[in-house]
Amino acid sequence: MGFHLLKNIFEQILDVSNYKAIIIDDEEAAIVSIKLIIEDFCQDVEVAGSAQSASQGIQLINDKQPDIVFLDIEMPKMNGFEMLEILPERNFELIFITAYNQYALEAFKVNAIDYLLKPISIPELINAVKRVRARRSVANYTVPDYSNLFNSLAVISHKKVAINSMDGVEYIDPEQIIYLEAEGAYTHIITTETKFTTPKNLKDFMDIPALTGFFRIHNSYIVNLLHIKKYNRKEAFVVMSNTHHVTVSRRNKDDFLKAMDDLTK
């Protein structure tokens, strides 16, 4: 058998073993980050294209027929879930990308679906790709059925928190709440968009089902774990997504660190 024929067979084998991936995210920085990590650490994954909107993503999926789609959840006009619902076929593995959509994360965990939190972590992306490889290496491999995930999201994505404020009732998406701060008999609610005050005690918020991703980190604070950007071990405080510093009480420190550890698994 000639050298060139052997070379062609070898190249075909390599091509078969490669995974074709596309990235759909409205943030160019996220696309660049994922591309760089894949190039450096996932040699058998080829990024065949990227799109910065759901409509472009649909066209890209139809054109490239990818094996893996890295899909941002929060995109303007049409989000990632809405995009998936209108696709006639989903013959690919999904790795979701999200900033802090806590309800989506709960659904992913329940349904064992891969996701990446922004900013993108190198080890998390590598592990997500490893799980894709493991699933696809099974002899009777079939593309995952995402129907249970969509059913879960259909139920939980509409949850809002109703909070009595000084001039009415505020209906808030829980993932927009950064933290709650006690001041006497009142509680300040700080969100990604605004701040308001409610004549309600901080402890009353602990039993609200929609706030399952929150933690009472201090006697005066309940924080959204997904809005925590940094934990300062030496001075025992966390930095929230709006740069506000919140002290971690000594009594709650161990439980808080365990909650954060569970969130990153």
Side-chain angles (χ1 to χ4, degrees), residues 3-71:
F3 171 77
H4 292 294
L5 181 56
L6 282 172
K7 181 174 180 291
N8 289 339
I9 293 173
F10 183 67
E11 287 177 347
Q12 288 172 10
I13 293 172
L14 286 180
D15 288 340
V16 170
S17 66
N18 282 348
Y19 300 123
K20 188 189 302 180
I22 64 170
I23 307 166
I24 305 172
D25 195 308
D26 64 313
E27 296 182 10
E28 185 177 356
I31 292 175
V32 171
S33 177
I34 293 170
K35 279 183 176 179
L36 289 174
I37 295 172
I38 288 174
E39 288 172 0
D40 289 343
F41 299 99
C42 305
Q43 302 298 326
D44 58 344
V45 178
E46 172 201 358
V47 178
S50 61
Q52 290 188 255
S53 71
S55 57
Q56 293 175 358
I58 292 170
Q59 184 63 51
L60 190 62
I61 288 171
N62 291 331
D63 289 346
K64 300 297 184 180
Q65 297 295 305
D67 303 302
I68 307 171
V69 174
F70 292 87
L71 178 63

XYZ file of all heavy atoms in Angstrom, residues 3-71:
541
model
N 2.449 5.126 0.217
C 2.514 6.087 1.316
C 1.346 7.059 1.283
O 0.720 7.339 2.313
C 3.840 6.857 1.227
C 3.907 8.022 2.178
C 4.156 7.827 3.528
C 3.701 9.328 1.712
C 4.211 8.902 4.390
C 3.758 10.393 2.577
C 4.024 10.193 3.913
N 1.011 7.592 0.092
C -0.047 8.588 -0.019
C -1.412 8.009 0.354
O -2.242 8.669 0.970
C -0.079 9.179 -1.428
C 1.117 10.007 -1.744
N 1.372 11.199 -1.097
C 2.139 9.814 -2.625
C 2.494 11.712 -1.572
N 2.987 10.884 -2.490
N -1.621 6.720 -0.015
C -2.883 6.079 0.335
C -2.985 5.915 1.856
O -4.031 6.175 2.463
C -2.998 4.718 -0.354
C -4.301 3.931 -0.106
C -5.508 4.794 -0.518
C -4.303 2.621 -0.870
N -1.884 5.476 2.460
C -1.866 5.355 3.922
C -2.108 6.706 4.586
O -2.828 6.818 5.584
C -0.512 4.791 4.382
C -0.304 3.285 4.227
C 1.147 2.926 4.538
C -1.242 2.522 5.161
N -1.490 7.737 4.029
C -1.645 9.082 4.577
C -3.110 9.520 4.505
O -3.654 10.075 5.451
C -0.761 10.062 3.811
C -0.819 11.507 4.301
C 0.213 12.338 3.562
C 0.189 13.797 4.035
N -1.026 14.480 3.631
N -3.759 9.241 3.358
C -5.162 9.634 3.204
C -6.063 8.892 4.183
O -6.975 9.472 4.782
C -5.634 9.348 1.770
C -5.015 10.301 0.761
O -4.567 11.386 1.139
N -4.987 9.898 -0.493
N -5.794 7.579 4.362
C -6.594 6.801 5.317
C -6.411 7.346 6.721
O -7.372 7.501 7.493
C -6.206 5.307 5.258
C -6.611 4.712 3.907
C -6.851 4.537 6.404
C -6.106 3.286 3.694
N -5.168 7.644 7.080
C -4.871 8.172 8.410
C -5.567 9.503 8.637
O -6.159 9.754 9.703
C -3.355 8.340 8.563
C -2.939 8.819 9.932
C -3.113 8.010 11.044
C -2.385 10.088 10.102
C -2.725 8.451 12.306
C -2.012 10.526 11.357
C -2.170 9.708 12.460
N -5.558 10.370 7.631
C -6.211 11.673 7.754
C -7.724 11.515 7.887
O -8.376 12.247 8.630
C -5.869 12.547 6.542
C -4.434 13.052 6.567
C -4.086 13.849 5.318
O -4.875 13.784 4.349
O -3.044 14.518 5.322
N -8.291 10.525 7.171
C -9.721 10.294 7.274
C -10.092 9.832 8.676
O -11.112 10.228 9.233
C -10.162 9.254 6.244
C -10.152 9.773 4.817
C -10.412 8.678 3.816
O -10.783 7.565 4.177
N -10.203 8.985 2.547
N -9.239 8.968 9.256
C -9.482 8.506 10.627
C -9.444 9.677 11.590
O -10.278 9.804 12.486
C -8.442 7.437 11.033
C -8.644 6.175 10.209
C -8.540 7.121 12.525
C -7.552 5.130 10.399
N -8.484 10.557 11.402
C -8.389 11.737 12.262
C -9.616 12.616 12.114
O -10.152 13.140 13.089
C -7.128 12.538 11.925
C -5.794 11.944 12.379
C -4.660 12.872 11.962
C -5.775 11.716 13.885
N -10.078 12.790 10.872
C -11.253 13.618 10.636
C -12.473 13.059 11.352
O -13.270 13.778 11.925
C -11.541 13.727 9.134
C -10.512 14.608 8.429
O -9.860 15.392 9.138
O -10.374 14.493 7.201
N -12.622 11.723 11.314
C -13.775 11.092 11.948
C -13.753 11.328 13.451
O -14.782 11.488 14.095
C -13.794 9.584 11.624
C -14.833 8.867 12.476
C -14.089 9.374 10.146
N -12.545 11.299 14.035
C -12.434 11.420 15.486
C -12.607 12.854 15.968
O -12.789 13.090 17.149
C -11.071 10.880 15.955
O -10.024 11.705 15.458
N -12.534 13.821 15.044
C -12.671 15.210 15.446
C -14.127 15.572 15.689
O -15.028 15.046 15.036
C -12.099 16.144 14.367
C -10.586 16.191 14.429
O -9.987 15.718 15.376
N -9.984 16.752 13.401
N -14.346 16.510 16.607
C -15.686 17.024 16.883
C -15.791 18.432 16.318
O -14.931 19.273 16.568
C -15.960 17.030 18.383
C -15.871 15.670 19.019
C -14.988 15.444 20.072
C -16.655 14.616 18.574
C -14.901 14.197 20.661
C -16.566 13.369 19.162
C -15.694 13.167 20.213
O -15.604 11.925 20.793
N -16.847 18.666 15.581
C -17.072 19.983 15.000
C -17.953 20.778 15.963
O -19.052 20.350 16.319
C -17.755 19.852 13.647
C -17.865 21.159 12.873
C -18.747 20.989 11.646
C -18.214 19.908 10.729
N -19.090 19.756 9.525
N -17.477 21.942 16.378
C -18.208 22.764 17.349
C -18.505 24.130 16.774
O -17.764 24.642 15.922
C -17.403 22.909 18.643
N -19.609 24.719 17.237
C -19.892 26.123 16.944
C -20.239 26.813 18.263
O -20.642 26.167 19.233
C -21.039 26.301 15.929
C -22.353 25.776 16.492
C -20.700 25.638 14.602
C -23.549 26.140 15.628
N -20.063 28.130 18.271
C -20.314 28.931 19.473
C -21.361 29.983 19.140
O -21.212 30.732 18.163
C -19.024 29.622 19.963
C -17.894 28.592 20.141
C -19.274 30.382 21.258
C -16.516 29.224 20.280
N -22.416 30.043 19.943
C -23.461 31.050 19.746
C -23.551 31.876 21.023
O -24.000 31.392 22.060
C -24.822 30.395 19.434
C -24.695 29.458 18.224
C -25.883 31.466 19.172
C -25.935 28.619 17.965
N -23.098 33.116 20.956
C -23.064 33.994 22.124
C -23.035 35.429 21.634
O -22.294 35.758 20.705
C -21.811 33.694 22.967
C -21.880 34.296 24.357
O -22.154 35.520 24.467
O -21.664 33.567 25.333
N -23.833 36.290 22.262
C -23.870 37.676 21.802
C -22.667 38.476 22.271
O -22.458 39.601 21.824
C -25.177 38.367 22.248
C -25.275 38.481 23.758
O -25.013 37.477 24.442
O -25.624 39.561 24.258
N -21.846 37.904 23.166
C -20.650 38.594 23.653
C -19.413 38.065 22.921
O -19.060 36.891 23.048
C -20.495 38.402 25.158
C -21.623 39.009 25.977
C -21.409 38.833 27.465
O -20.302 38.414 27.870
O -22.351 39.106 28.222
N -18.769 38.949 22.192
C -17.588 38.537 21.429
C -16.479 38.024 22.339
O -15.760 37.078 21.994
C -17.065 39.710 20.591
C -15.913 39.327 19.671
C -15.451 40.483 18.799
O -16.071 41.566 18.859
O -14.476 40.290 18.056
N -16.357 38.626 23.535
C -15.309 38.207 24.466
C -15.477 36.749 24.867
O -14.496 36.003 25.006
C -15.322 39.090 25.705
N -16.722 36.309 25.055
C -16.980 34.918 25.427
C -16.606 33.977 24.278
O -16.027 32.910 24.500
C -18.445 34.734 25.808
N -16.935 34.379 23.059
C -16.593 33.564 21.885
C -15.082 33.402 21.781
O -14.573 32.294 21.588
C -17.161 34.196 20.599
C -18.695 34.121 20.597
C -16.595 33.509 19.352
C -19.350 34.822 19.424
N -14.362 34.503 21.913
C -12.895 34.468 21.824
C -12.320 33.576 22.917
O -11.417 32.765 22.664
C -12.317 35.894 21.921
C -10.798 35.845 22.049
C -12.719 36.721 20.707
N -12.846 33.708 24.134
C -12.354 32.913 25.259
C -12.538 31.420 25.013
O -11.611 30.623 25.210
C -13.082 33.334 26.544
O -12.671 32.540 27.634
N -13.728 31.027 24.562
C -13.999 29.607 24.306
C -13.106 29.091 23.191
O -12.543 27.988 23.280
C -15.488 29.401 23.968
C -16.351 29.695 25.199
C -15.740 27.978 23.468
C -17.828 29.746 24.903
N -12.955 29.874 22.126
C -12.091 29.459 21.015
C -10.660 29.203 21.492
O -10.039 28.188 21.138
C -12.077 30.545 19.933
C -13.263 30.529 18.994
C -13.087 31.597 17.922
C -14.203 31.564 16.900
N -14.045 32.626 15.876
N -10.136 30.110 22.283
C -8.745 29.984 22.743
C -8.560 28.746 23.625
O -7.566 28.030 23.502
C -8.334 31.246 23.507
C -8.144 32.510 22.669
C -7.872 33.712 23.564
C -7.003 32.331 21.669
N -9.527 28.515 24.514
C -9.424 27.347 25.403
C -9.478 26.062 24.583
O -8.705 25.129 24.816
C -10.546 27.369 26.459
C -10.378 28.581 27.386
C -10.514 26.083 27.293
C -11.546 28.799 28.331
N -10.388 26.011 23.615
C -10.503 24.817 22.774
C -9.212 24.584 21.990
O -8.706 23.465 21.913
C -11.711 24.944 21.825
C -13.018 24.803 22.619
C -11.647 23.884 20.719
C -14.261 25.055 21.800
N -8.673 25.645 21.407
C -7.440 25.520 20.620
C -6.281 25.017 21.470
O -5.455 24.228 21.013
C -7.089 26.866 19.988
C -8.025 27.268 18.848
C -7.768 28.686 18.371
O -6.863 29.348 18.932
O -8.472 29.141 17.451
N -6.212 25.460 22.719
C -5.088 25.114 23.581
C -5.250 23.778 24.296
O -4.258 23.094 24.571
C -4.865 26.213 24.627
C -4.304 27.492 24.022
O -3.786 27.422 22.890
O -4.395 28.550 24.659
N -6.486 23.385 24.609
C -6.679 22.239 25.499
C -7.575 21.128 24.941
O -7.654 20.068 25.545
C -7.267 22.710 26.836
C -6.390 23.678 27.571
C -6.626 25.043 27.497
C -5.324 23.230 28.339
C -5.822 25.951 28.181
C -4.511 24.118 29.020
C -4.753 25.488 28.937
N -8.258 21.379 23.833
C -9.162 20.361 23.268
C -8.788 20.147 21.810
O -9.477 20.616 20.901
C -10.627 20.794 23.404
S -11.137 21.203 25.088
N -7.705 19.424 21.588
C -7.132 19.302 20.252
C -8.053 18.591 19.269
O -7.924 18.748 18.057
C -5.788 18.568 20.335
C -4.766 19.236 21.235
C -4.370 20.623 20.777
O -4.317 20.875 19.584
N -4.110 21.524 21.704
N -8.984 17.776 19.773
C -9.858 17.031 18.865
C -11.164 17.769 18.578
O -12.070 17.224 17.960
C -10.171 15.646 19.429
C -10.823 15.710 20.799
O -10.756 16.772 21.442
O -11.399 14.693 21.223
N -11.261 19.023 19.031
C -12.455 19.830 18.766
C -12.087 20.967 17.829
O -11.131 21.711 18.079
C -13.048 20.398 20.070
C -14.272 21.268 19.760
C -13.429 19.272 21.024
N -12.833 21.081 16.741
C -12.616 22.157 15.766
C -13.770 23.145 15.846
O -14.942 22.753 15.754
C -12.560 21.576 14.352
C -12.528 22.644 13.264
C -12.973 22.096 11.912
O -13.267 20.896 11.820
O -13.039 22.898 10.965
N -13.457 24.421 16.050
C -14.490 25.458 16.039
C -14.781 25.813 14.590
O -13.987 26.453 13.912
C -14.058 26.698 16.841
C -15.142 27.784 16.760
C -13.797 26.333 18.300
N -15.948 25.399 14.111
C -16.295 25.572 12.698
C -16.966 26.903 12.412
O -17.177 27.261 11.253
C -17.210 24.441 12.250
N -17.296 27.648 13.466
C -17.924 28.947 13.251
C -18.517 29.487 14.537
O -18.585 28.799 15.556
N -18.919 30.749 14.479
C -19.543 31.384 15.640
C -20.613 32.352 15.171
O -20.597 32.821 14.026
C -18.500 32.111 16.495
O -17.872 33.142 15.743
N -21.560 32.631 16.061
C -22.648 33.561 15.758
C -22.942 34.377 17.000
O -22.760 33.909 18.127
C -23.892 32.801 15.312
N -23.403 35.617 16.787
C -23.668 36.510 17.918
C -25.159 36.813 18.089
O -25.518 37.762 18.770
C -22.863 37.802 17.778
C -21.369 37.578 17.985
C -20.572 38.875 18.035
O -19.883 39.220 17.081
N -20.663 39.591 19.147
N -25.997 35.979 17.477
C -27.439 36.095 17.685
C -28.070 34.732 17.445
O -27.480 33.865 16.793
C -28.061 37.125 16.744
O -28.078 36.644 15.415
N -29.270 34.548 17.978
C -29.957 33.267 17.807
C -30.298 32.999 16.351
O -30.165 31.869 15.864
C -31.218 33.246 18.673
N -30.730 34.034 15.636
C -31.096 33.838 14.229
C -29.882 33.427 13.403
O -29.964 32.534 12.538
C -31.716 35.121 13.659
O -30.837 36.219 13.792
N -28.738 34.061 13.666
C -27.510 33.647 12.980
C -27.106 32.237 13.398
O -26.589 31.464 12.590
C -26.378 34.622 13.306
C -26.562 36.014 12.739
C -25.470 36.975 13.200
O -24.583 36.607 13.981
N -25.540 38.216 12.740
N -27.353 31.917 14.665
C -27.010 30.596 15.177
C -27.786 29.494 14.479
O -27.232 28.427 14.170
N -29.069 29.720 14.221
C -29.886 28.730 13.515
C -29.310 28.454 12.131
O -29.187 27.309 11.696
C -31.345 29.211 13.416
C -31.989 29.226 14.804
C -32.148 28.334 12.460
C -33.339 29.896 14.845
N -28.954 29.520 11.425
C -28.375 29.366 10.091
C -27.043 28.620 10.156
O -26.752 27.747 9.325
C -28.167 30.744 9.454
C -27.652 30.705 8.020
C -28.633 30.033 7.079
O -29.810 30.374 7.048
N -28.152 29.059 6.306
N -26.244 28.936 11.175
C -24.938 28.299 11.328
C -25.094 26.808 11.620
O -24.345 25.981 11.080
C -24.156 28.983 12.453
C -22.684 28.611 12.600
C -21.897 28.990 11.351
C -22.077 29.301 13.830
N -26.050 26.450 12.455
C -26.308 25.038 12.756
C -26.710 24.293 11.487
O -26.221 23.192 11.205
C -27.397 24.902 13.835
C -26.842 25.342 15.192
C -27.912 23.466 13.917
C -27.879 25.459 16.273
N -27.591 24.895 10.693
C -28.034 24.264 9.447
C -26.886 24.105 8.451
O -26.799 23.104 7.733
C -29.165 25.070 8.815
C -30.447 25.009 9.628
O -30.699 24.029 10.318
N -31.263 26.051 9.552
N -25.995 25.092 8.431
C -24.882 25.058 7.480
C -23.782 24.081 7.895
O -23.236 23.356 7.063
C -24.276 26.458 7.314
C -25.193 27.410 6.562
O -26.170 26.921 5.943
O -24.967 28.633 6.623
N -23.437 24.089 9.176
C -22.267 23.349 9.646
C -22.579 21.963 10.195
O -21.669 21.129 10.298
C -21.533 24.170 10.721
C -21.047 25.523 10.253
C -20.009 25.406 9.147
C -19.463 26.774 8.759
N -18.445 26.672 7.676
N -23.823 21.708 10.577
C -24.190 20.412 11.173
C -23.185 20.019 12.265
O -22.495 18.989 12.161
C -24.246 19.336 10.082
C -25.313 19.575 9.021
C -26.724 19.490 9.602
O -27.095 18.504 10.207
N -27.498 20.560 9.429
N -23.101 20.796 13.333
C -22.066 20.569 14.352
C -22.347 19.358 15.246
O -23.483 18.875 15.335
C -22.124 21.860 15.173
C -23.565 22.286 15.068
C -23.968 21.939 13.664
N -21.287 18.885 15.887
C -21.417 17.837 16.900
C -21.687 18.452 18.276
O -22.356 17.836 19.112
C -20.127 17.010 16.975
C -19.765 16.394 15.647
O -20.594 15.636 15.117
O -18.667 16.690 15.131
N -21.126 19.637 18.512
C -21.269 20.323 19.798
C -21.672 21.769 19.544
O -21.090 22.438 18.680
C -19.950 20.320 20.601
C -19.393 18.887 20.749
C -20.149 20.946 21.977
C -17.992 18.845 21.345
N -22.630 22.251 20.313
C -23.014 23.660 20.242
C -22.831 24.280 21.624
O -23.438 23.833 22.603
C -24.480 23.837 19.792
C -24.892 25.309 19.877
C -24.663 23.326 18.363
N -21.961 25.278 21.704
C -21.834 26.095 22.914
C -22.853 27.222 22.776
O -22.730 28.072 21.892
C -20.424 26.673 23.032
C -19.350 25.643 23.296
C -18.735 24.978 22.243
C -18.962 25.344 24.590
C -17.757 24.027 22.479
C -17.979 24.398 24.839
C -17.376 23.740 23.782
N -23.857 27.217 23.629
C -25.002 28.106 23.436
C -25.227 29.016 24.632
O -25.455 28.549 25.754
C -26.260 27.279 23.176
C -27.567 28.051 23.000
C -27.501 28.967 21.775
C -28.745 27.089 22.870
